[in-house]
């Protein structure tokens, strides 16, 4: 008997699950979040940080749409940095060092206070389906009725943890694994894969000799993840840098026969862009050293995360390896590094709305979809939660496009191209990086959040105030600056030629050599405006030509996106299509020509065939 009924049930309370649950509940849907352990809610099983290259973009976009990750990161950070600050604005990304325990506690409290949301500690064994339609879930304590289910199981499905010869059937950080749900998904015809990820050792801070390391301070003059945060960035805790060396590398190479990655113990496929230290050393044999970050795990603990030293080597080798590193000669390991294998689904079985094909009311988000990282999980969780809620309401699905968000790039890559290894977001994956900067995430997406109903009045008012101030800034640039000693001094400082006479401010600011810092040193035109809005102005002006070119390319590609492909089409029957293309198209069932053009194995010639077919049917 189903004794409880909900509109939406979320399975898993990691970074994907909490965003799904909050989105669904905040859209007025009766929602249940199920987790095997309440202590695992938003648990940072790997690095105690949020953001990073391209990942910071995702967090800012989650925030712009009304999600929680950015706000939680801001409220629990112990250090904040802007990565790639010496490079162009397209690749600059925020990264916060978070208080691991506080991050979990705060997110748990947010969930507990949320109206329309219930939380249950239990294990889900089955998704219950009748006539290809979700009707609930079966837990260890009985059945629960539901009209929609979001799978957000992370790395828990039939997980096993590997430390050398020590192999245990458990989830990350000693949590219980989920057993049984994988077989249920197989029975439903959902293709399953086996992936692997890992984490470095944690050491006791008081046993580190920081005098032998390099200090890495946070930034104090930058914006944060959430537009709702008003942070005082003084008093941040530092991180520290150290490096592997020849002794470290020799130790690893001499013990590869005991490395689970190389002796056959590990079967799952690991991440290419976040490899273990043994893979790094094998892949980059000429590199004399690899950088390691010593990152504090929180304000109430002396545990330190050795970023960059991910491994599954045996404990005794880990001890020697850590002690070979400068500053860690006497470091005490508190938690050994480990690899974790887990089951996930083939993301090609998903629609762009993160619904599982062939079933009504079944959605999936996060690492179960073959991605890696908290940020990728949170972004998918938000979209899956939105679409589960809209499914309940009988509303159309919400899909973000590649040209309007990193979230769109992430999901389109997964559901159109698939992945053979844990997928990580990178700026290089986005074709329109200058248009999709993290500093304009709210400008791009908050109107959508308002329309969805996720952006509440307080956030809406901040957004409108920012837009008003930006408009006022652009209006100021229409004024002219007279040629006087002040302008000459500015030009001299920036090695810029003098204008022949007064110059429109907009033309002066477009000069690449005229920086915001230099201009504000000589003129107070923008002194009453927020720094982040002034930075936005300078970026938009200096890259105006490039941004316009990107917008032109986007408009051209939109024509392909608007050419809809029927869902019931049999591509094997279309003459002129190559066999590989027909197979891939039948597998993925792209919604339009734009998506079809991005499928691996579908060539431009195949797209031309499809276009001609569509035109002939319209004319016929």
């Amino acid at each position: 008997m189903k004794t409880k009924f909900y509109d939406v049930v979320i399975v898993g309370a990691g970074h994907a699950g909490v965003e799904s649950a909050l989105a669904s509940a905040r859209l007025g849907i009766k929602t249940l979040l199920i987790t095997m352990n309440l202590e695992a809610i938003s648990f940072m099983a790997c690095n105690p940080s949020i953001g990073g290259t391209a990942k910071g973009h995702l967090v800012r976009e989650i925030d712009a749409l009304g999600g929680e990750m950015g706000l939680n990161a801001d409220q629990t950070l112990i250090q904040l940095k802007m990565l790639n600050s010496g490079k162009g604005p397209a690749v600059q990304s925020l990264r916060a060092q978070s208080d691991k325990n506080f991050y979990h506690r705060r997110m748990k409290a947010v969930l507990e206070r949320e109206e329309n949301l219930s939380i249950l500690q239990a294990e889900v064994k089955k998704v219950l389906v009748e006539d290809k339609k979700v009707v609930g879930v079966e837990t260890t304590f009985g059945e629960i009725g539901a009209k929609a289910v979001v799978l957000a199981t992370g790395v828990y499905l039939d997980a096993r943890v590997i430390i050398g010869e020590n192999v245990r059937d458990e989830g990350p950080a000693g949590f219980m694994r989920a057993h049984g749900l994988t077989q249920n998904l197989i029975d439903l015809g959902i293709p399953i894969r086996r992936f692997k990820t890992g984490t470095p050792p944690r050491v006791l801070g008081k046993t580190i000799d920081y005098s032998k390391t390099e200090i890495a301070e946070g930034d104090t003059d930058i914006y944060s993840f959430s537009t709702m945060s008003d942070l005082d960035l003084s008093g941040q805790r530092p991180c520290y840098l150290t490096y592997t060396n020849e002794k470290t590398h020799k130790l690893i190479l001499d013990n590869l026969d005991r490395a689970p990655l190389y002796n056959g113990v590990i079967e799952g496929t690991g991440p290419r862009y976040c490899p273990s230290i043994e893979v790094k050393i094998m892949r980059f044999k000429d590199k004399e050293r690899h950088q390691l970050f010593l990152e504090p795990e929180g304000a109430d603990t002396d545990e330190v995360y050795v970023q960059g030293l991910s491994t599954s080597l045996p404990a005794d080798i880990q001890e020697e390896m850590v002690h070979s590193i400068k500053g860690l000669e006497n470091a005490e390991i508190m938690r050994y590094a480990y690899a974790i294998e887990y089951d996930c689904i083939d993301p090609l079985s998903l629609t762009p709305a993160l619904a599982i094909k062939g079933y009504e009311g079944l959605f999936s988000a996060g690492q179960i979809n073959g991605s890696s990282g908290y940020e990728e999980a949170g972004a998918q969780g938000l979209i899956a939660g939105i679409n589960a809620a809209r499914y309940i309401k009988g509303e159309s699905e919400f899909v973000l496009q590649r040209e309007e968000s990193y979230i769109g790039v992430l999901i389109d890559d997964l559901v159109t191209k698939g992945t053979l290894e844990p997928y990580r977001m990178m700026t290089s994956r986005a074709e329109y990086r200058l248009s999709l900067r993290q500093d304009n995430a709210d400008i791009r997406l908050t109107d959508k959040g308002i329309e969805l109903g996720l952006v509440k009045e307080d956030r809406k008012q901040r957004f409108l105030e920012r837009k008003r101030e930006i408009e006022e800034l652009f209006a100021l640039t229409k004024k002219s600056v007279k040629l006087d000693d002040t302008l000459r001094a500015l030009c001299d400082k920036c090695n810029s030629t003098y204008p022949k006479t007064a110059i429109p401010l907009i033309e002066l600011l477009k000069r690449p050599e005229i920086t915001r810092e230099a201009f504000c040193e000589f003129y107070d035109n923008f002194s009453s405006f927020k720094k982040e809005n002034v930075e936005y102005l300078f970026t938009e002006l200096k890259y105006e030509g490039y941004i316009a070119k990107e917008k032109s390319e986007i408009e051209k590609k939109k024509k392909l996106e608007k050419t809809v492909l029927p869902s019931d089409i049999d591509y094997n029957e279309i003459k002129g299509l190559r066999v590989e293309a027909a197979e891939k198209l039948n597998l993925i069932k792209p919604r339009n020509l734009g998506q079809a053009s991005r499928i691996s194995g579908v060539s431009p010639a195949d797209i031309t065939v499809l276009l001609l077919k569509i035109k002939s049917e319209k004319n016929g």
Side-chain angles (χ1 to χ4, degrees):
M1 292 290 292
K2 300 181 182 72
T3 57
K4 294 182 179 180
F5 293 86
Y6 294 86
D7 290 319
V8 175
V9 168
I10 314 294
V11 182
H15 303 280
V18 297
E19 292 293 349
S20 278
L22 289 170
S24 176
R26 287 169 177 174
L27 291 174
I29 299 301
K30 186 181 179 184
T31 305
L32 173 66
L33 177 63
I34 302 179
T35 175
M36 291 192 297
N37 192 327
L38 293 178
E39 300 312 309
I41 290 174
S42 287
F43 181 72
M44 293 178 148
C46 195
N47 53 314
S49 65
I50 294 292
T53 304
K55 293 169 178 281
H57 292 69
L58 290 172
V59 181
R60 292 275 290 182
E61 291 182 355
I62 291 169
D63 182 73
L65 289 165
E68 194 68 26
M69 179 174 273
L71 193 55
N72 208 58
D74 285 348
Q75 298 304 312
T76 61
L77 66 82
I78 54 181
Q79 188 190 91
L80 187 64
K81 287 187 76 71
M82 184 69 76
L83 304 186
N84 300 323
S85 57
K87 298 181 180 179
V91 296
Q92 291 175 10
S93 297
L94 283 169
R95 185 178 189 271
Q97 198 63 38
S98 296
D99 186 314
K100 178 178 181 175
N101 295 325
F102 188 17
Y103 190 95
H104 150 74
R105 291 196 310 272
R106 184 189 177 279
M107 190 68 87
K108 183 171 180 281
V110 168
L111 293 167
E112 291 167 348
R113 291 194 299 265
E114 191 63 48
E115 193 176 351
N116 301 316
L117 180 59
S118 299
I119 307 168
L120 176 66
Q121 181 170 294
E123 182 182 355
V124 172
K125 294 289 190 179
K126 287 184 180 179
V127 177
L128 302 176
V129 174
E130 293 178 4
D131 298 324
K132 297 288 187 176
K133 194 171 185 177
V134 166
V135 295
V137 296
E138 178 187 312
T139 77
T140 44
F141 305 114
E143 293 184 0
I144 296 173
K147 299 175 185 176
V149 169
V150 178
L151 299 173
T153 55
V155 299
Y156 284 82
L157 291 185
D158 278 344
R160 66 173 191 159
V161 167
I162 302 160
I163 304 174
E165 299 86 6
N166 187 315
V167 181
R168 304 188 302 276
D169 291 337
E170 64 183 28
F175 287 118
M176 182 175 67
R177 72 172 183 166
H179 182 66
L181 187 55
T182 291
Q183 187 57 52
N184 171 232
L185 298 180
I186 292 172
D187 293 342
L188 291 174
I190 299 169
I192 299 296
R193 290 186 171 158
R194 190 77 169 165
F195 277 1
K196 166 260 174 190
T197 187
T199 188
R202 277 72 162 178
V203 300
L204 182 61
K206 70 179 183 181
T207 63
I208 296 173
D209 186 350
Y210 289 110
S211 68
K212 295 181 178 180
T213 67
E214 303 168 24
I215 194 166
E217 301 280 7
D219 297 329
T220 58
D221 193 25
I222 55 175
Y223 54 79
S224 57
F225 284 115
S226 178
T227 58
M228 297 301 292
S229 297
D230 298 302
L231 296 182
D232 177 5
L233 292 177
S234 61
Q236 297 182 52
R237 286 185 63 179
C239 295
Y240 297 86
L241 279 171
T242 187
Y243 301 87
T244 62
N245 53 57
E246 184 180 351
K247 183 179 178 182
T248 316
H249 297 188
K250 185 177 186 305
L251 180 66
I252 292 169
L253 292 172
D254 287 347
N255 288 278
L256 284 181
D257 60 319
R258 297 184 66 196
L261 272 172
Y262 291 96
N263 64 17
V265 173
I266 290 177
E267 300 168 358
T269 305
R272 178 188 303 268
Y273 299 105
C274 189
S276 66
I277 188 64
E278 50 265 43
V279 171
K280 287 182 190 176
I281 290 169
M282 288 295 289
R283 188 180 295 169
F284 307 106
K285 291 184 177 180
D286 295 334
K287 196 165 184 177
E288 294 181 357
R289 65 179 191 173
H290 292 273
Q291 186 172 258
L292 305 174
F293 281 92
L294 305 178
E295 302 174 337
E297 292 227 320
D300 61 351
T301 178
D302 201 24
E303 268 190 89
V304 175
Y305 181 89
V306 188
Q307 170 74 26
L309 204 63
S310 178
T311 185
S312 56
L313 283 162
D316 59 312
I317 304 301
Q318 289 191 38
E319 294 278 358
E320 291 185 63
M321 186 168 62
V322 165
H323 294 155
S324 72
I325 295 164
K326 200 172 182 180
L328 303 182
E329 293 89 347
N330 299 302
E332 296 178 8
I333 296 179
M334 298 179 70
R335 305 185 202 225
Y336 290 109
Y338 62 83
I340 182 168
E341 286 187 327
Y342 57 95
D343 293 333
C344 57
I345 69 174
D346 182 348
L348 292 180
S349 60
L350 300 170
T351 73
L354 294 182
I356 293 180
K357 296 173 184 175
Y359 293 94
E360 291 186 41
L362 185 56
F363 300 84
S364 184
Q367 286 186 266
I368 187 177
N369 289 347
S371 63
S372 69
Y374 310 148
E375 303 80 7
E376 290 89 341
Q380 292 173 68
L382 178 67
I383 300 303
I386 290 170
N387 281 313
R390 291 178 72 83
Y391 168 78
I392 297 299
K393 294 179 178 182
E395 297 174 347
S396 61
E397 63 187 23
F398 177 71
V399 175
L400 288 170
Q401 304 300 324
R402 297 183 70 90
E403 67 271 10
E404 60 187 357
S405 66
Y406 269 74
I407 296 176
V409 173
L410 162 68
I411 294 175
D412 184 65
D413 276 355
L414 286 171
V415 307
T416 302
K417 301 176 182 178
T419 184
L420 299 175
E421 61 194 27
Y423 176 100
R424 176 178 177 168
M425 192 70 242
M426 297 180 291
T427 54
S428 59
R429 297 190 190 274
E431 301 94 320
Y432 310 112
R433 293 190 291 277
L434 270 173
S435 300
L436 304 183
R437 307 184 312 272
Q438 64 173 9
D439 71 299
N440 67 3
D442 57 337
I443 303 297
R444 290 184 280 114
L445 297 175
T446 297
D447 279 329
K448 293 180 182 293
I450 293 170
E451 187 178 343
L452 286 167
L454 277 180
V455 170
K456 306 308 180 186
E457 190 60 29
D458 54 349
R459 183 184 292 272
K460 177 182 175 180
Q461 289 307 315
R462 286 203 178 200
F463 171 63
L464 293 177
E465 172 59 22
R466 172 159 151 82
K467 285 180 71 176
R468 183 203 63 76
E469 189 165 286
I470 287 172
E471 289 172 3
E472 192 174 333
L473 278 165
F474 275 94
L476 285 176
T477 65
K478 295 178 181 178
K479 297 180 179 180
S480 292
V481 181
K482 63 182 179 180
L483 181 58
D484 57 11
D485 290 343
T486 303
L487 181 53
R488 291 188 185 94
L490 171 62
C491 290
D492 288 341
K493 181 179 179 69
C494 298
N495 294 318
S496 187
T497 57
Y498 299 157
K500 294 181 179 179
T501 182
I503 182 174
L505 181 55
I506 190 169
E507 296 302 323
L508 179 66
L509 299 185
K510 282 182 180 179
R511 293 185 175 191
E513 66 275 15
I514 303 294
T515 64
R516 177 188 60 81
E517 294 82 2
F519 179 84
C520 293
E521 181 182 333
F522 291 91
Y523 293 92
D524 62 359
N525 303 54
F526 306 138
S527 59
S528 62
F529 296 89
K530 288 185 177 180
K531 179 193 168 188
E532 63 192 82
N533 293 336
V534 178
E535 286 181 340
Y536 175 86
L537 169 74
F538 271 75
T539 299
E540 287 287 309
L541 292 179
K542 292 188 185 303
Y543 293 92
E544 182 182 48
Y546 297 102
I547 293 170
K549 187 176 179 181
E550 281 193 356
K551 288 180 178 177
S552 176
E553 288 295 318
I554 289 170
E555 289 305 313
K556 289 178 184 177
K557 291 201 172 183
K558 277 184 178 179
K559 293 178 182 179
L560 288 177
E561 304 293 332
K562 290 177 181 178
T563 306
V564 177
L565 294 170
S567 59
D568 58 352
I569 188 172
D570 184 353
Y571 292 96
N572 289 320
E573 296 180 357
I574 299 178
K575 293 181 180 179
L577 274 183
R578 294 174 306 110
V579 173
E580 181 188 6
E583 288 177 353
K584 291 288 183 69
L585 290 163
N586 276 325
L587 173 65
I588 296 169
K589 292 292 184 182
R591 298 185 169 194
N592 52 61
L593 273 182
Q595 186 183 2
S597 70
R598 295 188 293 273
I599 296 173
S600 174
V602 177
S603 70
D606 296 318
I607 297 301
T608 301
V609 171
L610 289 178
L611 190 57
L612 291 172
K613 172 71 173 176
I614 292 167
K615 285 182 177 179
S616 67
E617 289 184 351
K618 284 184 178 179
N619 297 330

